[in-house]
Amino acid sequence: MLREPEELQQILDLDLKDCGEPQEKLLKRCRNVIRYSVKTCHPRFFNQLFSGLDHHALAGRLITEMLNTSQYTYEIAPVFVLMEEVVLKKLRELIGWKKGDGIFCPGGSISNMYAMNVARFHCFPDCKQKGNWAIPKLAAFTSQEVCSPFKKGAAFLGIGTDNVYLVAVDENHMAPVIVLLAHYENIFSPPMPVLVVLPFQGALPFFVNATCGTTVLGAFDPVAKIAEVCARHRVWLHVDVMARLFFCFPHRADSVAWNPHKMLMTGLQCSAFLLQDSSGLLQRCHCAKATYLFQTDKFYDMAYDKGDQTIQCGRKVDCFKLWLMWKANGTKGLEQRVDRAFSFTRCALGCKSGANGPEFINLCFWYVPPSLRGQEGCTDYSLRLGKVAPVIKEQMMKKGSMMVGYQPHGDRVNFFRQVVTNPAVTREDLNFFLDEIERLGRDL
Ligand SMILES: Cc1ncc(COP(=O)(O)O)c(C=O)c1O
């Protein structure tokens, strides 16, 4: 059960003191940390896009923590440097790229930000040295469904959040080809033979993001069609992938962000930024050539020192947990895990076999309490319906029975979003989930 912050602070006694404490007391503290933390691997945790626990990935995480090395040079992380290359190559192959580059990043938002930075550098290499003063005002595009990582990126990179243009989606929230094409063609027409030079509200379009599996509704942008438009106008196409890679054909993208820490349960964090370029763009874009790390007179091939490809200096090892999990399950085993998540969603929706199933695994729904049933025509119906999910959520949190997320979306009032990625979830858990919502909400 979730306690109020003041109460929890009191229980935990978090203040740091001058003198150390005996082991027994520390053990008790560790027990308390576990006791009062949310167990995201619990089969009744449906709150996030990540959940569950893969034991092989966990073993990888523990070993990584124990070895406590940094991924930046071959000399300090020989095994993991070689391993990262193998994993990234395999991921690129799944996309359908024969060559390319990439890096593991601290999360999807950062991977998306990398994409914006590399795209900007690709258009305007001078920007790295001279800053935004040396280049025109830029415009980036993403659908209104997934904007926050790109707004954060635009703010961080000095592009400005006002210069992230949000593309409208249709009533199914699945950015239809027609709408997108019209939108992009309006922006980019007439077709330009070189990098986009057409001003858009005084800014130059340089970056388009397409999403495969949007955060709330799990919708898919039509990547292949968007790729056609981007290729025609030589604009960098980035694809933010939540789903399995081959599911959305991002091979025509310039870069891809893919997050095994979500559907695949590698554990936080495991997020790959992949790009098709193999000319060293990533290195040129980020390198600072620190002489204490990247000496040019080492006895081995310096190409193995990948650390200058990133904006970080020290970098955690994120490839091992995925590698070990992949070795244990094989590609087929990982695919089955994704298939299972889909079949749970189909099951929760009551889909018959053969019938058209859900596009993805996000299950979004309202719980309508008996007092509101049949009241759809009333003027305050939406207002009252929007208050149901927060109250049910508060009750389940205080009781500690389960966790599921809710949010408003456009003109839709608060609704629940359930995502089942944890293979430990059983049919009984799914039944409990629905019954518990009913129990907590029937008297509202
Ligand atoms: C489509 C999409 N892109 C990016 C992100 C951000 O990923 P992260 O939490 O790994 O930074 C999310 C988060 O849920 C997402 O749904």
Side-chain angles (χ1 to χ4, degrees):
M1 58 190 261
L2 185 67
R3 288 160 203 265
E4 298 289 344
E6 298 73 23
E7 190 191 348
L8 193 55
Q9 254 156 359
Q10 269 204 338
I11 296 173
L12 295 175
D13 174 27
L14 295 170
D15 280 351
L16 297 168
K17 317 251 166 64
D18 288 344
C19 295
E21 295 181 342
Q23 294 298 310
E24 225 170 88
K25 192 155 184 200
L26 294 175
L27 202 59
K28 197 170 157 218
R29 287 188 180 282
C30 290
R31 282 204 190 95
N32 269 352
V33 166
I34 296 171
R35 178 166 173 204
Y36 294 105
S37 290
V38 172
K39 279 62 169 190
T40 62
C41 54
H42 195 283
R44 291 182 185 169
F45 175 87
F46 305 103
N47 205 63
Q48 250 68 39
L49 295 172
F50 65 86
S51 65
L53 182 73
D54 179 281
H55 295 93
H56 293 98
L58 178 64
R61 288 156 74 187
L62 294 173
I63 294 170
T64 301
E65 288 301 315
M66 185 190 66
L67 292 172
N68 189 36
T69 193
S70 169
Q71 187 81 57
Y72 45 36
T73 58
Y74 181 77
E75 70 184 62
I76 193 171
V79 175
F80 299 128
V81 163
L82 298 179
M83 186 184 283
E84 186 177 53
E85 268 316 289
V86 169
V87 176
L88 291 170
K89 183 167 177 281
K90 187 77 185 167
L91 294 177
R92 287 196 299 267
E93 280 169 14
L94 287 179
I95 295 175
W97 293 342
K98 291 197 172 61
K99 59 181 184 56
D101 209 345
I103 206 88
F104 274 91
C105 297
S109 295
I110 305 287
S111 298
N112 289 336
M113 197 181 76
Y114 264 90
M116 293 179 98
N117 200 35
V118 170
R120 179 176 61 176
F121 178 78
H122 176 63
C123 293
F124 301 104
D126 271 358
C127 177
K128 179 177 176 183
Q129 200 178 340
K130 299 195 164 65
N132 281 338
W133 293 269
I135 65 171
K137 192 168 148 191
L138 299 176
F141 297 83
T142 183
S143 93
Q144 65 192 31
E145 296 293 305
V146 178
C147 57
S148 67
F150 300 96
K151 289 202 162 180
K152 280 175 192 278
F156 197 79
L157 298 171
I159 290 166
T161 53
D162 281 357
N163 299 312
V164 177
Y165 291 90
L166 304 185
V167 178
V169 292
D170 71 0
E171 69 278 4
N172 298 316
H173 301 274
M174 292 193 292
V177 174
I178 292 271
V179 170
L180 271 163
L181 278 180
H183 195 95
Y184 288 120
E185 296 282 293
N186 272 344
I187 293 162
F188 299 140
S189 67
M192 306 302 290
V194 288
L195 284 174
V196 171
V197 289
L198 182 75
F200 177 71
Q201 297 182 6
L204 290 182
F206 80 110
F207 176 89
V208 170
N209 168 66
T211 306
C212 293
T214 59
T215 313
V216 177
L217 298 179
F220 285 64
D221 287 337
V223 176
K225 289 289 178 189
I226 295 172
E228 273 172 32
V229 180
C230 287
R232 200 147 59 236
H233 301 286
R234 312 272 172 96
V235 174
W236 187 279
L237 173 62
H238 173 69
V239 180
D240 184 2
V241 177
M242 243 300 287
R244 36 190 171 179
L245 279 171
F246 58 86
F247 201 69
C248 47
F249 311 108
H251 57 277
R252 293 189 59 191
D254 295 291
S255 59
V256 168
W258 187 58
N259 296 297
H261 66 210
K262 290 188 175 139
M263 263 188 113
L264 284 184
M265 300 193 309
T266 51
L268 292 164
Q269 295 165 331
C270 190
S271 172
F273 172 61
L274 304 155
L275 64 168
Q276 207 172 157
D277 174 273
S278 57
S279 76
L281 190 62
L282 198 55
Q283 172 85 9
R284 293 197 302 283
C285 181
H286 298 125
C287 71
K289 302 190 173 136
T291 50
Y292 59 92
L293 286 175
F294 308 113
Q295 299 90 336
T296 51
D297 45 9
K298 289 188 181 179
F299 69 89
Y300 60 84
D301 182 352
M302 279 248 342
Y304 287 102
D305 287 353
K306 297 281 182 190
D308 231 8
Q309 290 188 330
T310 79
I311 52 170
Q312 294 170 261
C313 180
R315 187 162 59 96
K316 241 178 126 75
V317 174
D318 285 331
C319 59
F320 181 41
K321 50 196 165 196
L322 176 57
W323 181 87
L324 195 60
M325 187 179 87
W326 208 324
K327 277 277 187 199
N329 292 280
T331 310
K332 286 195 176 133
L334 297 182
E335 263 208 69
Q336 277 164 9
R337 197 171 279 182
V338 176
D339 288 343
R340 191 176 148 91
F342 270 85
S343 64
F344 265 133
T345 314
R346 288 177 67 91
C347 164
L349 273 172
C351 290
K352 296 202 171 58
S353 69
N356 276 345
E359 195 183 20
F360 199 41
I361 56 166
N362 301 28
L363 192 62
C364 300
F365 64 95
W366 282 285
Y367 171 71
V368 183
S371 66
L372 273 179
R373 291 177 199 165
Q375 310 267 313
E376 290 81 355
C378 298
T379 46
D380 63 349
Y381 178 78
S382 286
L383 193 72
R384 288 166 64 200
L385 183 61
K387 290 182 177 157
V388 172
V391 174
I392 295 180
K393 170 97 184 222
E394 181 184 340
Q395 290 185 28
M396 72 176 74
M397 298 283 295
K398 289 188 170 161
K399 190 175 164 198
S401 56
M402 62 182 199
M403 266 184 90
V404 63
Y406 73 86
Q407 63 285 296
H409 184 268
D411 55 5
R412 290 173 162 89
V413 296
N414 284 322
F415 55 83
F416 289 114
R417 179 200 64 172
Q418 187 204 29
V419 183
V420 182
T421 49
N422 183 355
V425 172
T426 60
R427 198 173 279 261
E428 196 196 333
D429 294 312
L430 289 183
N431 289 340
F432 174 88
F433 171 80
L434 294 175
D435 291 345
E436 181 73 346
I437 288 188
E438 175 89 48
R439 260 190 302 276
L440 299 172
R442 68 180 153 219
D443 294 328
L444 294 178

